[in-house]
Amino acid sequence: MHIIWMSLFVSGISVFLASALGIPLGTWLGLLPAHRVRWAAQIIYTLMGLPPVLAGLLIYLLLSSSGPFGVLKLLYTPWAMVVAQTVLAFPIVTGLTMIAVRSKDKEIRDTAVSLGASAWQSALTIVREARLAIVGAVVTGLGRLMAEVGAVMMVGGNIEGKTRVMTSAIVLETRRGNFEMAIGLGIVLLVLAFIINSCLYRLQGVPRN
Amino acid sequence: MNEAILELDSLVKRFGSRDVLQVERLVFQKGRIHGIIGPSGSGKSTLLRILNLIEKPSAGRVFFHGQDISLNNGRLAVQRRMAMVFQKPVMFNTTVFENVAYGLKVRGLRGPALRDRVRAELKTLGLEQLENQAARTLSGGEAQRVALARVLVTDPEVLFLDEPTSNLDPHNAALIEAMVRSVSRERGFSVVLVTHNIFQARRLTDWLSFLYEGKLIEEGPTPEILANPRDERTAAFVRGDTVY
Ligand SMILES: Nc1ncnc2c1ncn2[C@@H]1O[C@H](COP(=O)(O)OP(=O)(O)O)[C@@H](O)[C@H]1O
Ligand SMILES: [Mg+2]
């Protein structure tokens, strides 16, 4: 049970932090003309594919006792996993939000402006129209984090009762030859992903009728 | 008595290195239904977008009630005195009511006054049954009527219509035409109507400007332009020979 709770806790907080930063940044980039943010966009797209072990390595070096943040003694704690996963989710949420906002930008902006919206009002309207895809960005980020094992193992250490999460437990049980346990955990992971996706899509506020 | 509501002076619009509009002078009189006709790609939509201040001209000036508005200061105030219905209506992903309320809400109207005006406009266009329906689920004709209600409710002085019936069935097209005629007569709106349809131009407009490859070829009172076009290109278009 602790494993499931820890998975949800670490990935949930990480995706929340990544969204708190990534949604405003993605919106801002999406509203600017594409040619003006070309470099930023290319960097974000590259980071969206960042291998988790690389993010893990980076955070490991930063948090290890000889690293610049070593004094914080965060390595092999859940907070180290949160930092690594936030780094992983941030470009995903930012990039997908930017794409979502940009895809609505032209036609919605023209309509809003023609109806008398100010620059601010039309930007707000674009975000509201893109909400479905922005929720999609958050769900995608959460999905990637829940399924991720490389970074959490490196900076969390897979310590039982402390930093062991579902994916790292599956790796361990498989190595031990406990395939039933591994498969069971895998099913729990899938069911959780399904429930989370369903809940988030409920939140989207599609008009009734 | 004639009074210009909008004037274009030495207007040029360039996309890349291509001039898509080059209009020396074009005047829109108050209270008129002014038709813009011309083949596809002749710059009609671009012209409307410039008049509605959605697009900036590359050179030249635009006057609204004699005041230069191409300088872009006070854009919002001027823009709120105009409104445009696009060829393909874009509905906000919410109810019909909220779509029609949008223009009033951004102007700061709230509460019962807002509700009454929206309901009245919905009624005028026969949309009161659809008030709570999701706007994205409307048929093409209904959506175009909502798009019209959405601009009429803001009481614009000038109404821009970009081929408003080109995607509609005859019934809805007739409904939109009747609406345009009545707001022009009863509410005194000035209308700029872009159309492909010579018959629609004949039915609705007082004045016609013929645009060809970004240039104003000729203009005049609708019956004259349709009966005795002076330019061969206008004549071909009016006869229906122009491929578009
Ligand atoms: N944003 C744009 N970028 C580049 N070219 C454009 C743009 N908008 C319109 N054009 C070009 O300008 C010309 C006039 O277009 P438009 O005003 O839509 O014509 P019409 O409405 O008469 O069919 C066309 O050749 C079109 O391809
Ligand atoms: Mg057009």
Side-chain angles (χ1 to χ4, degrees), chain A residues 6-18 50 52 55-56 59 78-93 141-153 155 165 167:
Chain A
M6 189 46 74
S7 270
L8 283 171
F9 174 78
V10 169
S11 298
I13 292 200
S14 302
V15 89
F16 175 81
L17 291 175
L50 183 69
I59 300 304
W79 294 109
M81 302 197 289
V82 166
V83 173
Q85 290 215 321
T86 302
V87 169
L88 278 175
F90 174 67
I92 295 174
V93 175
L142 184 60
R144 175 110 193 267
L145 296 189
M146 296 274 296
E148 184 276 319
V149 65
V152 288
M153 286 221 353
V155 303
V165 293
T167 50

Side-chain angles (χ1 to χ4, degrees), chain B residues 131-179:
Chain B
E131 185 180 312
N132 294 313
Q133 188 165 329
R136 289 276 169 87
T137 64
L138 297 172
S139 73
E142 289 164 345
Q144 195 60 296
R145 270 148 68 197
V146 171
L148 193 58
R150 192 164 66 172
V151 300
L152 294 181
V153 77
T154 64
D155 260 324
E157 286 173 54
V158 197
L159 181 59
F160 302 109
L161 303 167
D162 194 353
E163 307 194 28
T165 62
S166 62
N167 298 319
L168 301 187
D169 58 280
H171 169 74
N172 274 298
L175 232 155
I176 299 269
E177 282 191 12
M179 241 1 259

Side-chain angles (χ1 to χ4, degrees), chain A residues 104 106-108 110-119 121-122 125 128-129 131-132 205-209, chain B residues 49 52 54 75-76 79-80 82-84 86 90 92-95 102-103 106-107 132-134 136 150-151:
Chain A
K104 298 284 174 190
K106 185 106 184 86
E107 56 178 15
I108 293 293
D110 283 354
T111 303
V113 164
S114 170
L115 289 169
S118 67
Q121 288 168 328
S122 66
T125 303
R128 203 173 339 125
E129 292 296 309
R131 66 189 180 264
L132 203 130
V206 181
R208 276 154 296 155
N209 192 347
Chain B
R49 294 167 62 82
N52 194 200
I54 297 174
R75 171 193 73 82
L76 191 60
Q79 210 155 34
R80 286 185 174 172
M82 324 165 152
M84 165 122 93
F86 298 85
V90 175
F92 298 128
N93 192 7
T94 173
T95 60
Y102 187 87
V106 295
R107 286 165 175 78
N132 294 313
Q133 188 165 329
R136 289 276 169 87
R150 192 164 66 172
V151 300

Side-chain angles (χ1 to χ4, degrees), chain A:
Chain A
M1 247 358 254
H2 182 266
I3 295 173
I4 297 173
W5 163 239
M6 189 46 74
S7 270
L8 283 171
F9 174 78
V10 169
S11 298
I13 292 200
S14 302
V15 89
F16 175 81
L17 291 175
S19 302
L21 300 169
I23 291 174
L25 179 63
T27 301
W28 183 65
L29 291 172
L31 289 172
L32 287 172
H35 65 268
R36 277 182 54 196
V37 296
R38 216 180 72 224
W39 285 106
Q42 272 168 13
I43 291 168
I44 291 165
Y45 291 152
T46 306
L47 293 180
M48 279 170 81
L50 183 69
V53 285
L54 247 175
L57 175 63
L58 181 77
I59 300 304
Y60 182 93
L61 291 175
L62 290 174
L63 296 183
S64 69
S65 54
S66 54
F69 299 103
V71 287
L72 298 175
K73 296 208 187 313
L74 286 178
L75 202 60
Y76 302 131
T77 69
W79 294 109
M81 302 197 289
V82 166
V83 173
Q85 290 215 321
T86 302
V87 169
L88 278 175
F90 174 67
I92 295 174
V93 175
T94 307
L96 293 179
T97 299
M98 179 177 72
I99 292 167
V101 168
R102 174 143 301 137
S103 75
K104 298 284 174 190
D105 178 42
K106 185 106 184 86
E107 56 178 15
I108 293 293
R109 193 196 298 247
D110 283 354
T111 303
V113 164
S114 170
L115 289 169
S118 67
W120 262 110
Q121 288 168 328
S122 66
L124 265 178
T125 303
I126 291 166
V127 172
R128 203 173 339 125
E129 292 296 309
R131 66 189 180 264
L132 203 130
I134 292 175
V135 169
V138 175
V139 174
T140 304
L142 184 60
R144 175 110 193 267
L145 296 189
M146 296 274 296
E148 184 276 319
V149 65
V152 288
M153 286 221 353
M154 280 178 89
V155 303
N158 198 18
I159 301 163
E160 186 169 9
K162 204 175 152 211
T163 60
R164 183 165 299 167
V165 293
M166 276 189 286
T167 50
S168 55
I170 290 172
V171 171
L172 185 75
E173 299 302 343
T174 305
R175 276 198 200 130
R176 283 177 176 161
N178 290 338
F179 298 118
E180 289 91 353
M181 186 65 180
I183 290 170
L185 278 167
I187 290 171
V188 173
L189 195 57
L190 272 178
V191 169
L192 266 178
F194 180 80
I195 293 171
I196 290 165
N197 279 285
S198 312
C199 290
L200 278 171
Y201 278 105
R202 277 279 159 76
L203 288 175
Q204 281 166 1
V206 181
R208 276 154 296 155
N209 192 347

